[in-house]
Amino acid sequence: MEKSRPAKGTVDKIVDKVVDAVSDGGPSNEIPGRPGREPAPLEEPTEPRAPLPPKPDQAGPEVFTATGRLTDVPPTAWAQGGEYLTTAQGLRLTDTDHSLKAGPRGPVLLQDHHLREKIMHFDHERIPERVVHARGAAAHGVFRAYGTATTVTRAAFLAKDVETPVFVRFSTVLGSRGSADTVRDTRGFATKFYTGEGVFDLVGNNIPVFFIQDAIKFPDVIHAGKPHPDREIPQAQSAHDTFWDFVSLHTEATHHTLWNMSDRGIARSFRMMEGFGVHTFRLVDAKGATTLVKFHWKPKAGVHSLTWEEAQLINGMDPDFHRRDLADAIEAGAYPQWELGIQTFPDTPEQTFQGIDLLDPTKIVPEELAPVQPIGLLTLNANPVNFFAETEQVAFHPGHLVPGIDITDDPLLAGRLFSYLDTQITRLGGPNFAQIPINRPHAPINDMLRDGFHQDAVHSGVAPYKPNSLDGGCPFFAGQSEGGYRETPVRVPAAEKVREAPASYADHFSQPRLFWLSLTPVEREHVIAAYTFELGKVYEQAIKERALRTLAEIDSYLCEQVAQGLGLPAPKPVNSLPSVEPSPALSQLGRTWPTTGRIIGIVADDGSDLETVRTLRQAILDGGMVPLVIAPAGGMLGADGGDPVTVQRTFATARSVEFDALLLAGTPAPGKDAYGARDAKAGNGVTGTPTDPRVLLMLAEAFRHAKPLGGWADAEQALTAAGIDTAAPGVLVAESGDAALEEIVRLLGRHRVWDRFPPAVGIA
Ligand code: HDE
């Protein structure tokens, strides 16, 4: 356990930093989202001063040397210093607005070094985006181990109460770096643990299975999912011919595809996603005994999704929805948390568990068969200071392991072990990417790797080779007691060299059927809708027909309903459908969760009961949620003479999809801009309507997205005008604002009011 001490020291520093940040006016009662450290003055400041420190919610990487030693240098030293503008060489500058010219109207002079340097650097600001998972957002945090894993692993960072700094990057898979967040896709969930024994990366997804069973197919599935190579459309989505062409011909993709078509493909928030290591890993205890495991991240906030219409609207309204949500939650002090858990299986020569092949990454082990045992708690508590330096430059690798954690022979994992090193060479410009601050281990580095582009270490000595006598024989081998990593001596079965998969890999449909049967009726409705939407976007009839053949092997109702939507006959299954035991743990519904970080919109105008709005606003903040006041115009509401209420959204700028629930402080009168020529959302205009038509649209959308709706005073008038039955589930006009809020928060704990929309009779 000794080995983890350095990491603990580092964590304390981070924790202290967070505490300082809080006492420094950090995460507070404010609405998150202020761009700079200080409010911007109206006039440009002219008095020289030192650069402002990062915002209280932010933390950069700890200052380690390129060789992994912690320094006394403060993290702000990664940043710009001094109060004056300089060149990259430190020369102070007097002007950056004008090129050096031969007279005000004369030609620009080549001798202008500042001009050349500025333009040269700008020309090279971009690096290649990740070939997959290009779009992402990240945060710093701390992992605290419960110690429960020590029975199966000697990994020092998993010993009781050891705290390890982490950096976690979430991502979509298919889209480019600038694509929208809420597309239907798998999400990456990659965690870098800076342990005292070196970096451990758990590079997982929010879906526990993968499209392919062998890494050699990865370029195929990604080429199929990416935009068509001729027109480069569509961006960041699977609703197109090449994707469905591939997955309908390559049926091992069926399980993962079904998860994507379920609500898991459109997460409400990164904070509300599960994470999975996907492959089976091998843990090794202090005596060398081994256990096979699957890693799971369980979000404290529960697993929640958007509705498909909501997701599509958000992609236009706020393409940065997920990254904003993560950053805002952290800034507001609603730190996202996950428990890390493991399913454990005996390490038998067959590497199967109750007939499930543990080396097949298209299979799960239902939690009912092997419960997920919690082994530690992850808390994300700081936003990065600089997106490029941290989120873009971070380099994960599933082969970054520590003693006590080893890999298995999953052929998908084998290819990844090659790919993640290889890809960084182009993306991060050479072999020294481990020296980039965010990638630096928090353990001493003595690697004999030398030179190369962007070498940050100034290595001493003359003998970067082994054995040597010239550098005192240094560095030396570590025995196991010194923390040396030893690959587990697993017996490899005698076999012939072949390009073949094991026979069990041929079962492509039993687990998709298990997943389908584990979903509640409303979740199944969403799956049917998703397949119908995606296949409806496919041009080629043959591909749709082929995809239906796959669905027939999962479930006849699913197949018939999608076929009906596509206007095609439903094929019969070729094989008899396997009888499987559903796994209720796979459903997202039916439980109650904390509501921290949820966004409640309060619709009000100057005529509303502002005293109650103030009280509710504070109660929402006190409950760790975010209240956003929506009014006819920006600025303040305060006609009642009390403290002004700041308006965060206007009827023109707000859209229902920004809020998890809505509260109506009465019925707001039409705003001055509530006419179609100015704001299309106002429709035909307002003549004769007592309620702003944009509010009616907002209510109607929120209603059909099954969101809780509440109000007091004359709120009923607006709800009725929006065509909403106030007796419908999850709609509440209360005597008082307090009562309305209480009910809204209770409903939010279940995420949505699905009983508002009964599913089809035949679906259960
Ligand atoms: Fe990845 N994957 N992957 N992948 N993957 C990359 O590595 C690859 C797979 C995952 O936030 C790339 O650094 C192959 C499974 C995440 O920076 C690349 C195969 C799982 C991230 C790569 C897989 C993942 C990546 C691109 C088939 C879940 C983003 C940039 C064998 C367990 C990490 C990079 C981040 C990124 C290759 C399959 C998760 C090209 C060859 C299965 C979360 O190396």
Side-chain angles (χ1 to χ4, degrees):
M1 303 310 114
E2 283 295 305
K3 290 289 186 291
S4 277
R5 294 246 163 85
K8 169 104 177 72
T10 313
V11 175
D12 287 346
K13 282 186 142 196
I14 289 180
V15 173
D16 289 350
K17 209 159 50 183
V18 172
V19 172
D20 288 351
V22 175
S23 50
D24 196 17
S28 71
N29 253 356
E30 282 188 21
I31 303 296
R34 167 167 288 159
R37 166 84 199 191
E38 294 177 356
L42 193 56
E43 307 302 336
E44 182 182 351
T46 51
E47 193 59 35
R49 60 186 285 198
L52 301 182
K55 294 200 301 160
D57 61 289
Q58 297 175 331
E62 284 291 280
V63 185
F64 278 75
T65 65
T67 48
R69 257 167 286 180
L70 183 59
T71 68
D72 291 331
V73 178
T76 42
W78 288 125
Q80 59 275 38
E83 55 268 47
Y84 295 106
L85 179 71
T86 71
T87 64
Q89 304 304 315
L91 180 71
R92 288 183 180 176
L93 291 166
T94 53
D95 180 290
T96 192
D97 297 337
H98 306 90
S99 307
L100 192 65
K101 286 178 285 193
R105 295 170 65 78
V108 170
L109 300 175
L110 185 60
Q111 60 193 237
D112 186 349
H113 178 74
H114 174 43
L115 166 71
R116 289 198 315 270
E117 184 192 66
K118 187 173 174 182
I119 299 287
M120 171 282 293
H121 197 276
F122 171 75
D123 289 346
H124 299 276
E125 279 178 5
R126 300 288 169 266
I127 61 171
E129 65 176 31
R130 287 168 175 80
V131 61
V132 285
H133 295 266
R135 169 89 184 161
H140 296 271
V142 177
F143 177 78
R144 182 192 289 262
Y146 297 153
T148 42
T150 43
T151 50
V152 283
T153 177
R154 60 189 287 253
F157 82 101
L158 291 174
K160 189 166 171 45
D161 292 337
V162 174
E163 290 184 328
T164 304
V166 298
F167 189 66
V168 179
R169 182 174 180 273
F170 304 102
S171 47
T172 53
V173 179
L174 289 177
S176 292
R177 203 184 134 185
S179 57
D181 275 347
T182 64
V183 294
R184 184 177 290 284
D185 197 358
T186 307
R187 301 293 183 288
F189 189 140
T191 308
K192 191 175 280 295
F193 297 82
Y194 302 91
T195 89
E197 297 183 300
V199 165
F200 168 55
D201 286 340
L202 184 51
V203 198
N205 280 342
N206 76 326
I207 289 182
V209 288
F210 205 64
F211 287 109
I212 49 173
Q213 295 165 319
D214 187 319
I216 199 167
K217 296 298 296 174
F218 194 61
D220 300 87
V221 64
I222 297 302
H223 288 171
K226 284 275 186 183
H228 291 205
D230 49 357
R231 303 180 181 192
E232 212 192 27
I233 52 175
Q235 176 59 239
Q237 49 194 298
S238 50
H240 57 103
D241 283 70
T242 54
F243 175 78
W244 287 98
D245 187 32
F246 177 81
V247 299
S248 60
L249 288 170
H250 193 73
T251 51
E252 72 193 42
T254 305
H255 197 187
H256 191 162
T257 306
L258 179 57
W259 277 74
N260 277 90
M261 295 305 117
S262 79
D263 291 345
R264 304 278 181 148
I266 39 173
R268 156 66 180 80
S269 157
F270 292 139
R271 301 179 286 128
M272 298 164 200
M273 300 187 323
E274 281 181 302
F276 302 92
V278 176
H279 316 280
T280 300
F281 287 81
R282 178 174 275 111
L283 297 187
V284 190
D285 74 8
K287 294 196 180 121
T290 59
T291 308
L292 298 180
V293 297
K294 283 189 179 284
F295 287 107
H296 293 245
W297 289 111
K298 296 274 184 193
K300 288 275 187 191
V303 191
H304 304 300
S305 295
L306 299 167
T307 67
W308 181 225
E309 187 195 39
E310 217 185 348
Q312 293 175 85
L313 286 172
I314 293 172
N315 282 340
M317 276 296 296
D318 184 7
D320 308 302
F321 188 77
H322 280 159
R323 58 170 65 170
R324 187 189 311 285
D325 169 273
L326 179 69
D328 279 358
I330 292 173
E331 188 184 338
Y335 298 146
Q337 291 189 311
W338 287 259
E339 261 185 339
L340 181 62
I342 45 173
Q343 288 180 296
T344 57
F345 320 104
D347 191 357
T348 59
E350 302 74 40
Q351 300 175 80
T352 59
F353 182 77
Q354 301 209 6
I356 300 166
D357 193 333
L358 297 172
L359 297 193
D360 177 353
T362 66
K363 304 286 193 308
I364 59 157
V365 177
E367 291 183 29
E368 290 77 8
L369 302 183
V372 177
Q373 305 160 50
I375 62 171
L377 181 69
L378 165 70
T379 305
L380 296 183
N381 55 21
N383 286 311
V385 172
N386 184 280
F387 185 93
F388 182 86
E390 302 173 63
T391 311
E392 194 60 13
Q393 294 201 108
V394 67
F396 294 93
H397 193 303
H400 289 163
L401 302 166
V402 289
I405 305 182
D406 203 346
I407 54 163
T408 57
D409 290 332
D410 175 344
L412 189 68
L413 180 54
R416 295 182 73 198
L417 297 173
F418 165 72
S419 180
Y420 289 67
L421 268 186
D422 183 56
T423 198
Q424 314 304 356
I425 297 180
T426 313
R427 190 172 79 82
L428 297 172
N432 287 317
F433 50 85
Q435 296 182 356
I436 294 171
I438 193 66
N439 295 325
R440 289 184 183 178
H442 294 193
I445 309 301
N446 200 346
D447 57 13
M448 296 200 300
L449 307 174
R450 290 294 183 269
D451 310 342
F453 281 115
H454 320 300
Q455 177 58 256
D456 266 18
V458 184
H459 294 108
S460 58
V462 293
Y465 55 80
K466 265 192 92 60
N468 77 70
S469 62
L470 285 172
D471 278 351
C474 202
F476 295 89
F477 297 118
Q480 245 177 304
S481 57
E482 288 100 18
Y485 188 88
R486 191 156 161 253
E487 288 77 12
T488 319
V490 185
R491 183 170 295 279
V492 180
E496 284 174 11
K497 210 159 43 169
V498 287
R499 287 191 186 273
E500 263 178 35
S504 72
Y505 280 37
D507 167 16
H508 300 166
F509 301 122
S510 65
Q511 287 221 336
R513 180 160 174 75
L514 186 156
F515 182 66
W516 164 258
L517 293 177
S518 304
L519 298 179
T520 56
V522 70
E523 291 172 299
R524 291 188 205 172
E525 293 282 10
H526 297 166
V527 169
I528 293 169
Y531 271 102
T532 313
F533 178 93
E534 295 253 327
L535 290 169
K537 296 277 178 185
V538 167
Y539 186 93
E540 292 293 346
Q541 205 72 352
I543 296 176
K544 298 183 199 192
E545 287 175 22
R546 214 191 287 142
L548 286 174
R549 280 192 217 160
T550 307
L551 293 185
E553 303 300 323
I554 303 174
D555 185 79
S556 54
Y557 186 81
L558 167 65
C559 181
E560 281 157 20
Q561 293 297 304
V562 176
Q564 183 183 303
L566 298 175
L568 289 170
K572 294 275 168 263
V574 175
N575 307 298
S576 57
L577 298 183
S579 127
V580 291
E581 190 61 38
S583 163
L586 294 174
S587 163
Q588 298 181 205
L589 304 189
R591 276 157 283 174
T592 304
W593 303 97
T595 56
T596 18
R598 291 310 186 103
I599 300 172
I600 300 184
I602 309 178
V603 180
D605 66 4
D606 260 328
S608 304
D609 161 17
L610 293 179
E611 201 41 54
T612 307
V613 171
R614 285 184 196 96
T615 316
L616 294 191
R617 209 180 151 278
Q618 194 55 46
I620 295 170
L621 282 169
D622 293 346
M625 295 167 286
V626 180
L628 296 181
V629 174
I630 317 164
M636 306 281 181
L637 297 177
D640 64 350
D643 285 345
V645 175
T646 308
V647 175
Q648 276 84 31
R649 299 285 188 278
T650 67
F651 297 163
T653 61
R655 195 77 195 231
S656 68
V657 292
E658 295 176 83
F659 314 100
D660 291 298
L662 286 175
L663 271 177
L664 285 170
T667 286
K672 292 202 167 59
D673 56 350
Y675 54 95
R678 177 74 63 85
D679 184 353
K681 294 200 298 303
N684 292 336
V686 294
T687 335
T689 0
T691 317
D692 192 298
R694 281 93 47 99
V695 173
L696 300 183
L697 175 68
M698 198 160 12
L699 291 172
E701 281 178 357
F703 181 81
R704 67 173 187 264
H705 299 150
K707 292 179 177 170
L709 296 173
W712 71 99
D714 62 346
E716 183 158 8
Q717 190 181 316
L719 289 160
T720 312
I724 295 170
D725 175 0
T726 49
V731 182
L732 180 93
V733 181
E735 289 291 303
S736 68
D738 282 357
L741 177 63
E742 197 183 319
E743 178 62 5
I744 290 293
V745 173
R746 192 188 68 78
L747 292 167
L748 261 186
R750 299 175 71 82
H751 184 51
R752 291 195 199 251
V753 191
W754 287 123
D755 27 347
R756 196 177 280 164
F757 304 110
V761 179
I763 202 159

